[in-house]
Amino acid sequence: MTTRILTRKEVLTRLWQAMVAMQIVCEPEFSVLLGSFAYGESHEGSDVDGLVVYPDEVSEEKRREAGATLHQVFGTSGRVAQLRPTNFRC
């Protein structure tokens, strides 16, 4: 079975769709697309790497629900780190 490689534009469109859907669950501070898709160097077997930063007050349950939204949009080929702003404070 051949797997079609998503274009950078398709990944960005899906990321936008996921962010819009996540706004219903919680309001992420921001998201970042990382890796080969971010650099426009994707290839067969490339996965989607991303970072989503949620407000500190978002519950673990809501973060999981938002993460499920990302997996619905990207399927199992996506990896997303979910962090809070306090993870960046010294």
Side-chain angles (χ1 to χ4, degrees):
M1 183 173 148
T2 304
T3 303
R4 188 176 74 78
I5 301 171
L6 296 174
T7 65
R8 185 169 188 243
K9 182 177 180 178
E10 288 171 321
V11 168
L12 291 173
T13 298
R14 287 185 183 196
L15 182 60
W16 178 256
Q17 291 169 345
M19 291 301 293
V20 169
M22 286 191 316
Q23 290 294 326
I24 296 167
V25 177
C26 62
E27 295 184 16
E29 297 281 334
F30 62 90
S31 66
V32 179
L33 181 63
L34 306 165
S36 60
F37 279 103
Y39 294 110
E41 299 173 358
S42 60
H43 53 81
E44 186 176 346
S46 287
D47 60 353
V48 178
D49 301 301
L51 167 70
V52 178
V53 177
Y54 298 101
D56 288 333
E57 61 274 2
V58 173
S59 70
E60 182 68 27
E61 180 183 346
K62 291 292 185 184
R63 286 179 22 176
R64 285 187 183 152
E65 191 176 338
T69 299
L70 287 170
H71 287 289
Q72 288 173 355
V73 171
F74 287 109
T76 57
S77 66
R79 291 181 299 172
V80 179
Q82 299 181 26
L83 300 172
R84 294 178 171 156
T86 53
N87 294 118
F88 298 101
R89 295 189 184 115
C90 298

